[in-house]
C-alpha cells in the first residue's frame, strides 16, 4: 500500500492509493497516520477492508490539494556517516558502530512545501535518505533478523542540516537538524510488502536540476535490520517512529565550492520507487502584525 496525508498544515487527512491508482480519504477509518494506526497488525486489518469497501470511500484529487508529510512520527532518529563512499569522500574512518542523532518532530515538513532557510545560518545542506517506519514495538531485539517483523514501510526523506549549527556551535547535532521543515517525508509511506529489498534502492538528489547525490542503499555501512536491532538495544522503538538511515556522499559540505542552499534554489530528493520531493528554498520572512 501507499499511504499519504492530504490537506493544509495541521489539518492533513489520512489517504491511500488504490490498485486502480485512485486516492481515497480514509478519515472514516482512521484519524491520522500516526502511532497505533501504523502498527503492522492495524495495517493488515485495514488492507483487508480495502478489498471490500475501497470504492465506497471518498475520492481525493491530489492535484488540487497540498500533500503533507506521509506520516506524523513519534520520533525521528537520524544515522550519520552510513555510506562507504561517503566516508571515503569525507576522508573519515568507517565507524565501528552506528552514529545516532535525532531531529525534533516539529521539523516535519511536506514533500512539496517551500523550504524556509534559517535566519542564523547560511550553510543549509541537502541529505537524501531512505526513511524506515517502525510498525511494531521493538525492544532488546535478539538479532538483526528479528528486525524485519518490526518494519511497517519506507519513505523518501531529506535529512536537511544547517551545518553552522551542527558543526560550529558545540553540543549535539540536533541543533543543526531541527529547524522548521528540515524533515520532509514522503510523498508516500510505502508498506514493506512493496519493497523487496531496502538495500537495493537508488537515492538521487538534484539541486537546480543538477544531480548532486546518486547512490544505492546497497552501499550502507550498517543495513536497515542492523540499525533497528542496534537502536532497540538502548531505546524502545514504537509504531510510527522513523529512522533516517544516512545520506550518500555529494552533499554541499564535501564539495570544493560548498554550494549551500540559497533563496530560490530548487531541491529534489528521491528514493526511486518510493516517490520524489520537490522544494523551493525561501529566505525566512516573518510577517509583521
Amino acid at each position: 500500500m501507499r499511504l499519504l496525508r492530504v490537506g493544509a498544515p495541521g489539518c492533513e487527512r489520512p489517504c491511500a492509493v488504490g490498485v486502480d491508482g485512485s486516492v481515497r480519504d480514509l478519515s472514516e477509518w482512521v484519524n491520522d497516520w500516526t502511532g497505533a494506526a501504523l502498527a503492522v497488525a492495524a495495517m493488515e486489518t485495514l488492507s483487508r477492508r480495502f478489498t471490500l469497501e475501497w470504492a465506497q470511500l471518498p475520492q481525493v484529487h491530489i492535484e488540487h490539494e497540498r500533500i503533507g508529510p506521509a506520516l506524523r512520527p513519534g520520533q525521528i532518529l537520524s544515522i550519520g556517516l552510513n555510506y562507504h563512499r561517503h566516508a571515503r569522500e569525507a576522508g573519515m574512518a568507517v565507524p565501528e558502530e552506528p552514529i545516532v542523532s535525532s531531529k525534533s518532530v516539529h521539523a516535519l515538513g511536506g514533500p512539496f512545501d517551500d523550504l524556509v532557510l534559517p535566519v542564523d545560518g547560511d550553510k543549509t545542506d541537502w541529505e537524501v535518505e531512505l526513511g524506515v517506519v517502525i510498525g511494531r514495538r521493538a525492544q532488546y531485539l535478539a538479532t538483526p533478523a528479528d528486525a524485519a517483523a518490526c518494519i511497517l514501510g519506507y519513505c523518501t526523506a531529506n535529512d536537511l542540516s544547517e551545518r553552522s549549527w551542527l558543526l560550529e556551535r558545540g553540543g549535539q547535532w540536533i541543533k543543526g537538524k531541527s529547524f522548521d521543515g528540515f524533515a520532509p517525508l514522503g510523498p508516500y509511506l510505502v508498506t514493506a510488502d512493496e519493497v523487496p529489498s531496502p538495500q537495493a534502492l537508488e537515492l538521487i538528489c538534484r539541486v537546480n536540476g543538477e544531480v548532486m547525490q546518486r547512490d544505492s542503499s546497497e552501499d550502507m555501512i550498517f543495513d536497515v535490520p542492523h540499525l533497528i536491532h542496534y537502536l532497540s538495544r538502548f531505546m524502545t522503538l514504537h509504531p510510527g517512529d522513523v529512522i533516517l538511515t544516512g545520506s550518500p556522499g555529494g552533499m554541499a559540505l564535501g564539495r570544493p565550492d560548498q554550494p549551500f542552499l540559497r533563496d530560490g534554489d530548487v531541491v529534489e530528493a528521491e528514493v526511486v520507487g518510493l516517490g520524489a520531493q520537490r522544494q523551493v528554498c525561501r529566505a525566512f520572512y516573518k510577517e509583521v502584525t
Side-chain angles (χ1 to χ4, degrees):
M1 288 187 293
R2 289 176 176 257
L3 312 178
L4 68 160
R5 297 167 73 244
V6 176
C11 301
E12 295 92 346
R13 310 185 306 281
C15 300
V17 182
V19 293
D20 60 356
S22 68
V23 177
R24 304 282 173 160
D25 186 336
L26 274 65
S27 298
E28 295 180 13
W29 294 358
V30 62
N31 290 329
D32 201 354
W33 295 134
T34 189
L38 295 174
V40 170
M43 199 58 58
E44 290 172 348
T45 299
L46 205 59
S47 66
R48 288 193 290 269
R49 292 190 68 181
F50 283 170
T51 304
L52 300 173
E53 303 177 52
W54 179 259
Q56 302 172 27
L57 294 167
Q59 188 165 352
V60 178
H61 299 282
I62 58 175
E63 63 272 19
H64 302 307
E65 296 201 58
R66 169 183 177 268
I67 297 178
L71 69 152
R72 189 157 56 84
Q75 64 175 333
I76 305 172
L77 303 169
S78 56
I79 308 299
L81 200 66
N82 196 33
Y83 279 75
H84 288 95
R85 280 185 283 273
H86 178 203
R88 290 196 296 270
E89 175 187 280
M92 300 177 71
V94 171
E96 296 183 3
E97 297 191 28
I99 299 171
V100 182
S101 182
S102 62
K103 300 177 85 91
S104 167
V105 292
H106 300 298
L108 194 64
F112 307 110
D113 292 348
D114 284 351
L115 175 61
V116 179
L117 301 174
V119 173
D120 297 322
D122 60 356
K123 297 180 180 179
T124 299
D125 208 344
W126 56 83
E127 296 189 49
V128 62
E129 303 198 9
L130 170 64
V132 178
V133 181
I134 298 298
R136 184 174 280 123
R137 187 176 185 271
Q139 182 184 39
Y140 297 127
L141 296 180
T143 70
D146 297 325
C150 300
I151 300 171
L152 176 71
Y154 305 91
C155 64
T156 297
N158 194 345
D159 186 13
L160 290 150
S161 298
E162 171 49 52
R163 300 295 182 187
S164 63
W165 278 92
L166 189 145
L167 298 174
E168 301 169 11
R169 304 295 292 261
Q172 300 297 311
W173 287 358
I174 190 172
K175 293 190 296 185
K177 290 183 171 290
S178 295
F179 291 90
D180 288 358
F182 267 37
L185 301 179
Y188 307 109
L189 192 176
V190 182
T191 51
D193 58 295
E194 294 195 14
V195 183
S197 173
Q199 306 309 145
L201 297 170
E202 185 179 15
L203 296 87
I204 305 170
C205 184
R206 298 178 178 87
V207 179
N208 300 327
E210 180 181 354
V211 174
M212 295 297 193
Q213 294 180 283
R214 175 172 255 136
D215 210 334
S216 168
S217 57
E218 182 182 16
D219 191 51
M220 283 185 188
I221 296 167
F222 303 105
D223 64 17
V224 169
H226 183 103
L227 292 173
I228 296 172
H229 168 255
Y230 182 82
L231 291 167
S232 81
R233 304 303 296 178
F234 59 86
M235 70 169 67
T236 302
L237 302 173
H238 294 271
D241 287 348
V242 172
I243 304 167
L244 307 183
T245 56
S247 183
M251 293 166 278
L253 182 68
R255 294 175 175 272
D257 54 343
Q258 296 194 332
F260 295 112
L261 295 171
R262 297 289 180 258
D263 183 44
D265 285 346
V266 178
V267 184
E268 298 170 285
E270 178 180 11
V271 178
V272 177
L274 303 185
Q277 306 177 355
R278 184 183 187 277
Q279 297 187 280
V280 178
C281 297
R282 300 296 186 201
F284 179 86
Y285 171 74
K286 185 174 182 179
E287 185 176 349
V288 177
T289 58

